[in-house]
Amino acid sequence: MKKIFLGAPGSGKGSYASRIAPKRNIPHISTGELFRKNIEEETEIGIKAKEFMDNGDLVPDEIVIEMLKNRIENEDCQNGFILDGFPRTIPQAEKLAEITDIDIAVNMDVPDAIIIKRISSRVTCKDCGEIFNIITHKPKEDGICDKCQGEVITRPDQKPEIIQNRLKVYEEQTAPLIDFYKNKGILQNVTCNDFYKSVDEMAEKVLDTILSFTKNATNPIKKIIETNKQ
Ligand code: AMP
């Protein structure tokens, strides 16, 4: 199954994708992570992307589309994937529709107050990208990733002024994707109103939503009724 996880920065989509993908035996593809790897390896893509990312702006569509297209052509994507952070603009979504059919878009619906609190207390593993939160989900050992023992840091784009720009960019350029996928009949919303709700519990809720959508998808009339209810 080909899945898209939508949501503002800090909505939890990356944390849920990293838990659900191994359970479904499909890759978790985060375009943000792909860019960070490219920056670290000082590739041409990394050099082009760095300034946009440091400012909290989007990397131009043509760069991200080319990178994503190459990634999903890999053998490991044949049985599906979870896209986290792509698409982020309508032109990216249109291009993706030309490349492949998406089965479900899950939108993480989280109030702004929770987003801001979460994103400002977030730390990330420099090596594997695992996300932690210094209030609700601390690494077991300070500054060290539970998963790969890498160094856990505050990402440069988590500074307050950059976060504000990322949220503005989300509202202007990415939020319209909610209607784009709703109109295609494949949107499912998952709401989280509780800052302290555990990541594992929320990931279960997201997975349940996906599984029940898959079941309903076998009955096209039921699927249309459910989608219109949202
Ligand atoms: P993320 O890790 O998903 O929060 O992404 C970090 C940064 O990478 C974003 O703020 C953008 O600068 C860049 N980026 C990631 N995905 C995309 C995309 N689909 N389109 C444009 N820029 C992206």
Side-chain angles (χ1 to χ4, degrees), residues 9-10 13 30-33 35-36 49-61 64-65 67-68 84-89 92 122 131 155 157-158 162 166 169:
K13 57 188 189 312
S30 153
T31 40
E33 267 315 301
F35 279 132
R36 282 185 283 278
K50 187 170 183 331
E51 201 179 325
F52 296 102
M53 289 179 72
D54 285 349
N55 291 330
D57 290 325
L58 294 184
V59 178
D61 284 343
V64 65
I65 288 167
M67 180 178 77
L68 191 274
D84 155 23
F86 187 95
R88 255 178 158 107
T89 63
Q92 288 180 19
R122 170 188 278 187
I131 297 162
R155 270 172 30 196
D157 61 354
Q158 311 274 117
I162 304 291
R166 288 171 67 202
V169 166

Side-chain angles (χ1 to χ4, degrees), residues 4-13 84-85 87-88 106-110 115 170 174-175 177-178:
I4 291 173
F5 282 12
L6 294 174
S11 62
K13 57 188 189 312
D84 155 23
R88 255 178 158 107
V106 186
N107 177 48
M108 315 305 159
D109 184 13
V110 185
I115 294 269
Y170 168 78
T174 308
L177 292 175
I178 298 172

Side-chain angles (χ1 to χ4, degrees), residues 72-90:
I72 63 176
E73 276 167 6
N74 279 5
E75 186 73 22
D76 65 341
C77 290
Q78 280 199 346
N79 294 327
F81 46 72
I82 301 179
L83 295 185
D84 155 23
F86 187 95
R88 255 178 158 107
T89 63
I90 296 282

Side-chain angles (χ1 to χ4, degrees), residues 101-153:
D101 287 329
I102 296 299
D103 301 296
I104 181 170
V106 186
N107 177 48
M108 315 305 159
D109 184 13
V110 185
D112 286 354
I114 294 186
I115 294 269
I116 290 164
K117 202 167 164 187
R118 248 195 217 158
I119 207 170
S120 47
S121 49
R122 170 188 278 187
V123 285
T124 313
C125 174
K126 215 175 147 198
D127 294 339
C128 73
E130 184 70 5
I131 297 162
F132 298 91
N133 184 294
I134 52 171
I135 303 172
T136 55
H137 176 50
K138 275 189 184 174
K140 289 194 185 92
E141 219 178 308
D142 256 1
I144 296 178
C145 176
D146 295 354
K147 231 171 139 182
C148 77
Q149 312 301 306
E151 187 190 354
V152 171
I153 55 155

